[in-house]
Amino acid sequence: MSVSNAYMTLSGAVDADVLRDEPLSRRTSYRIGGPAALVVVAHSYGALQRTLEVLAQEGVEWVLLGKGSNVLVSDKGYDGCVVLLDGEFSRMTVCAEEATITAGGGAQLARVVNQAMKSGLSGLEFCVGIPGTLGGAVSMDAGTRREWIGPRVRDLVVLRPGEGMHRYAGGEIEWGYRRTSLPTSEIILEATLELEPGDPAVITRDMEERLRRRREAQPLSKPSCGSVFRNPPERSAGLLIQSCGLSGAEQGAAQISPEHANFIVNRGGATAADVVALIRRAHDAVLERHGVDLACEVKLLGF
């Protein structure tokens, strides 16, 4: 593997920002993590395709990162290349006649949700307050326990590394709570969401109420990755952890939030090791007391 060769080949040769030893604490919502050996912020499809070609030629492992809102990076960092999408991947268009929004995989989900509201298109209110990119949201079928973004996807354009682009109809994909049938190797380039005409004032009030409830129930003032565990069927992961007496439990500068026990927050200076220790502690306590094997939805990088 030659990160140096990849860096020299890509620097100045593609429509991308190419960085060495970039601290990933700057690119994750946890504000935790060591450096990535290489970071490439691709601004165009050609740059992305060329980047993946060079990484394959040099044998450099890579991972796609959105806004880093559900990722915990090792304190040692990541030896491979972190790829991010920007530029043309952040574009967004609205078709009022068809009640659709088409946006790139790198577009911030918050921008898409706000554009829907301004355009009088209803159907994404449940996504308000969810961080990350549209591509990340679609890849994990983000949403609430009852509403997911997947059923709103009319069609999807992905890049299959080494093969090229492929288009899916939304109905070809299996959607479920925090899961999809999309191969993890495919990169979401663009998605078209099918919505319904609505009253912008009504949509705004709905979004404001949802945000109010979210602020009251979740520790949004401290860095975190959101929910740590998936909710088991008909159960609340947070309440299960709370019932084990772990609300407020600390490890270094990491803490199981007293406000919502399914959040582990960084109180300032927490390490990835601190967070992992609390994840294991919560998982093992719930398994021992309730016999429930909680599934962690935090993606670990560099471990």
Side-chain angles (χ1 to χ4, degrees):
M1 178 177 80
S2 178
V3 170
S4 295
N5 285 350
Y7 174 72
M8 289 188 290
T9 301
L10 293 170
S11 294
V14 294
D15 181 20
D17 302 322
V18 185
L19 309 168
R20 284 295 308 269
D21 300 319
E22 171 78 355
L24 292 177
S25 57
R26 299 175 182 173
R27 298 186 179 273
T28 64
S29 60
Y30 250 134
R31 301 295 181 260
I32 291 173
L38 189 63
V39 169
V40 175
V41 185
H43 299 291
S44 64
Y45 174 73
L48 175 61
Q49 193 171 40
R50 179 58 179 154
T51 295
L52 299 183
E53 289 172 357
V54 171
L55 295 177
Q57 290 166 5
E58 296 297 335
V60 177
E61 180 182 317
W62 62 272
V63 65
L64 185 71
L65 188 69
K67 292 299 179 182
S69 56
N70 68 328
V71 177
L72 178 64
V73 179
S74 165
D75 299 310
K76 295 179 181 179
Y78 177 58
D79 289 336
C81 177
V82 170
V83 179
L84 299 100
L85 305 181
D86 204 349
E88 70 178 39
F89 300 109
S90 297
R91 293 176 183 167
M92 179 167 43
T93 57
V94 177
C95 180
E97 294 78 12
E98 297 182 6
T100 61
I101 290 181
T102 299
Q108 291 189 37
L109 182 60
R111 282 186 58 232
V112 178
V113 172
N114 286 335
Q115 186 60 59
M117 177 266 291
K118 293 175 183 177
S119 303
L121 296 177
S122 177
L124 292 180
E125 292 86 337
F126 66 91
C127 286
V128 68
I130 296 177
T133 61
L134 178 61
V138 171
S139 68
M140 66 176 291
D141 202 2
T144 68
R145 296 185 68 171
R146 291 170 293 277
E147 297 175 280
W148 315 318
I149 196 170
R152 290 289 174 183
V153 175
R154 189 182 74 178
D155 54 69
L156 200 61
V157 179
V158 303
L159 173 62
R160 292 175 171 173
E163 297 181 29
M165 288 192 288
H166 177 77
R167 182 180 295 273
Y168 288 101
E172 295 180 67
I173 302 165
E174 294 178 16
W175 306 100
Y177 174 64
R178 298 292 195 274
R179 63 172 182 81
T180 76
S181 61
L182 286 168
T184 56
S185 60
E186 297 183 353
I187 297 175
I188 295 173
L189 303 178
E190 182 181 273
T192 297
L193 306 176
E194 201 161 30
L195 307 172
E196 296 99 28
D199 183 338
V202 173
I203 295 170
T204 300
R205 285 196 297 271
D206 186 1
M207 288 169 56
E208 289 175 345
E209 175 60 20
R210 290 173 186 263
L211 271 178
R212 183 191 65 78
R213 293 198 300 266
R214 186 181 288 270
R215 291 192 188 102
E216 289 179 352
Q218 299 176 359
L220 303 181
S221 63
K222 295 183 177 67
S224 79
C225 71
S227 297
V228 172
F229 299 101
R230 295 187 185 94
N231 288 311
E234 309 303 323
R235 309 282 297 266
S236 163
L239 291 179
L240 288 170
I241 296 167
Q242 182 179 325
S243 72
C244 296
L246 291 178
S247 291
E250 300 175 1
Q251 175 72 37
Q255 180 186 44
I256 295 178
S257 172
E259 298 172 63
H260 194 309
N262 198 22
F263 281 64
I264 296 176
V265 298
N266 177 2
R267 295 181 301 153
T271 66
D274 292 336
V275 176
V276 168
L278 286 180
I279 290 174
R280 288 173 176 161
R281 185 174 172 187
H283 173 273
D284 293 350
V286 170
L287 183 61
E288 181 178 353
R289 178 162 185 168
H290 297 285
V292 177
D293 185 8
L294 291 176
C296 183
E297 59 182 358
V298 182
K299 296 179 180 178
L300 304 179
L301 181 61
F303 287 83

